[in-house]
Amino acid sequence: MIRSEKVGPRTFRSLINKFGGASAALEALPDLARKGGRLLLKVATRAEAEKEIAAAARLGVRFIAMGEPDYPKTLQAIDTAPPLIAVRGSAEVLSRPCVAMVGSRNASAAGLTFAERLSRQLGEAGYVVASGLARGIDTRAHRATLETGTIVVLAGGHDRIYPSENEKLLLSIVEKGGAVVSEMPFGWEPRGRDFPRRNRIVSGLSYGVVVVEAARRSGSLITARFALEQGREVFAVPGSPLDPRAEGTNDLIRDGATLCAGLDHVTSVLEPLVAAGPLESAMEEPQQHARIEELWDELELPDIARPPVAHVTFEGGFYEEGAAAPQAEIRVIDLLGPSPVAIDDLVRQSGLSIRLVQTALLDLEIAGRLERHGGNAVSLVSGRENTTGS
């Protein structure tokens, strides 16, 4: 039934409650559509469902329905919980306390370093880290928690990984005992509006959401807003007021989010909640069901067009030594902001050689765009912040 046209989580639940089960609801769907003025409604067939189940099995994916023992209790507590999730990897991590970490795709080196460190510390403290496999902060959070447990939530089907360069990372997550979750059908290519839908699952799986870097009206702020709707905790990492990538997180702090500058700021808030047991649904009034759908429409993204490939060829985690210096300079600028960052961190986060990084920094310094600080740290000159990324 969930694969039938115009049947989403809210409609699914209403139909089950009205007709007492999926079989009766499926029989009633065509008549309901006609009464609503719709002459034809595509109802998924048994053959189509069996075809998807077979495709899932070939990829090692299994379906978990709401109410089954392995369905995450935190996710089940939200009013727009998917009736059916497709899970690849270990379902065990879905039962452990989870923290979501989200942030800019075009993250600074300082933001990437902080995300790695905090994710690793959360994993060592017993938390699973959930994110959306996006470039930037998401990717670093997943990598940092490969050994302790991480959850990927996809915007498309399990056979349509986005971005494609993270397919190897996804396989590593599965091999290391993490989990990959999707509510979308096999073959579904993610579109713009599918990412906000995914984000409400990222926050729904979690006791709290940590936003590391976010420009205003970014996808990370969508996740934070869903978290608030779902009664979850929101943590924001402060940043320089001169860096556009920190505008959203600084706004969150101003609006009441918990300032996060280290592990204790997260665990001190979440430990009592985890000890109290399963979360209850935060939304009880009917109009609040519609609120999340309004957010989807309000923050709808354009259909996905693949952004340009990284400025420098990337192979096996390191940029090719022969990359042109101007390309390396663009990559370094992407990672810089008004806040000082160690050159060693720039080398590590960029994947460039030390020679290319030093060359790029020298060019920027000659152009009057770079400021050097004590301790071998650098930053962009104030007022010339990063404008190359999206």
Side-chain angles (χ1 to χ4, degrees):
M1 188 167 73
I2 195 59
R3 296 295 189 246
S4 295
E5 188 180 8
K6 297 298 181 183
V7 178
R10 272 199 311 135
T11 304
F12 183 97
R13 186 177 298 182
S14 297
L15 288 169
I16 291 292
N17 290 339
K18 181 177 177 64
F19 294 100
S23 296
L26 281 168
E27 291 177 7
L29 268 180
D31 286 338
L32 291 174
R34 282 191 291 271
K35 289 177 182 177
R38 190 180 183 90
L39 297 178
L40 185 63
L41 184 74
K42 187 180 185 311
V43 178
T45 66
R46 184 184 186 91
E48 288 170 337
E50 289 175 344
K51 181 179 179 181
E52 183 175 353
I53 291 169
R58 287 193 293 271
L59 199 60
V61 174
R62 69 185 180 102
F63 293 99
I64 303 174
M66 187 186 297
E68 290 186 321
D70 286 340
Y71 195 96
K73 298 298 185 291
T74 47
L75 185 61
Q76 189 166 303
I78 72 171
D79 281 8
T80 54
L84 192 71
I85 55 175
V87 178
R88 185 179 181 185
S90 171
E92 182 271 333
V93 294
L94 301 176
S95 65
R96 291 165 52 194
C98 181
V99 177
M101 184 166 295
V102 297
S104 175
R105 288 174 171 82
N106 178 43
S108 68
L112 293 170
T113 299
F114 183 86
E116 279 185 336
R117 184 177 67 197
L118 181 59
S119 297
R120 188 172 294 111
Q121 290 172 340
L122 284 167
E124 292 168 352
Y127 291 89
V128 172
V129 173
S131 200
L133 201 66
R135 301 177 180 96
I137 298 298
D138 291 22
T139 296
R140 297 308 169 113
H142 289 309
R143 287 192 185 280
T145 51
L146 279 173
E147 301 298 332
T148 54
T150 186
I151 301 170
V152 170
V153 184
L154 299 175
H158 275 277
D159 54 346
R160 295 292 186 271
I161 307 304
Y162 183 87
S164 59
E165 71 247 31
N166 274 347
E167 288 187 23
K168 288 184 179 178
L169 172 59
L170 183 143
L171 290 175
S172 296
I173 289 169
V174 172
E175 291 169 1
K176 296 284 188 178
V180 184
V181 175
S182 175
E183 67 172 330
M184 306 307 284
F186 269 67
W188 187 272
E189 291 281 358
R191 308 159 302 170
R193 68 177 294 124
D194 296 325
F195 290 86
R197 291 175 62 105
R198 173 204 65 186
N199 292 352
R200 114 274 187 193
I201 297 178
V202 172
S203 58
L205 285 165
S206 311
Y207 280 83
V209 173
V210 179
V211 186
V212 178
E213 286 184 340
R216 290 193 174 110
R217 296 186 63 80
S218 74
S220 300
L221 297 188
I222 298 174
T223 311
R225 292 179 70 178
F226 281 134
L228 292 173
E229 292 279 354
Q230 296 161 354
R232 308 301 159 84
E233 299 294 328
V234 175
F235 305 87
V237 178
S240 169
L242 300 175
D243 192 339
R245 290 169 293 200
E247 288 178 346
T249 48
N250 290 343
D251 287 349
L252 285 173
I253 294 169
R254 183 193 64 197
D255 294 338
T258 301
L259 185 149
C260 175
L263 176 66
D264 289 347
H265 293 162
V266 179
T267 56
S268 62
V269 174
L270 296 188
E271 282 174 359
L273 300 178
V274 174
L279 292 168
E280 300 293 334
S281 174
M283 293 188 282
E284 297 177 358
E285 297 182 16
Q287 62 265 31
Q288 290 182 300
H289 288 283
R291 176 62 182 144
I292 287 185
E293 293 197 347
E294 289 169 10
L295 279 174
W296 291 350
D297 294 333
E298 175 189 341
L299 297 165
E300 181 177 348
L301 306 175
D303 282 349
I304 286 296
R306 183 173 294 278
V309 176
H311 304 297
V312 186
T313 305
F314 188 86
E315 289 293 341
F318 288 91
Y319 287 84
E320 289 182 350
E321 183 66 27
Q327 296 174 313
E329 182 177 315
I330 292 171
R331 176 62 181 159
V332 170
I333 291 173
D334 282 345
L335 292 169
L336 283 171
S339 299
V341 61
I343 293 175
D344 288 346
D345 284 339
L346 278 177
V347 173
R348 186 166 60 89
Q349 301 292 4
S350 68
L352 295 164
S353 68
I354 183 65
R355 181 181 63 81
L356 282 177
V357 171
Q358 292 284 16
T359 300
L361 292 177
L362 179 61
D363 289 344
L364 290 171
E365 188 171 19
I366 292 171
R369 301 189 63 185
L370 189 77
E371 185 173 355
R372 293 189 181 268
H373 304 267
N376 204 28
V378 293
S379 68
L380 286 183
V381 172
S382 298
R384 301 294 299 275
E385 59 269 2
N386 179 345
T387 57
T388 65
S390 58

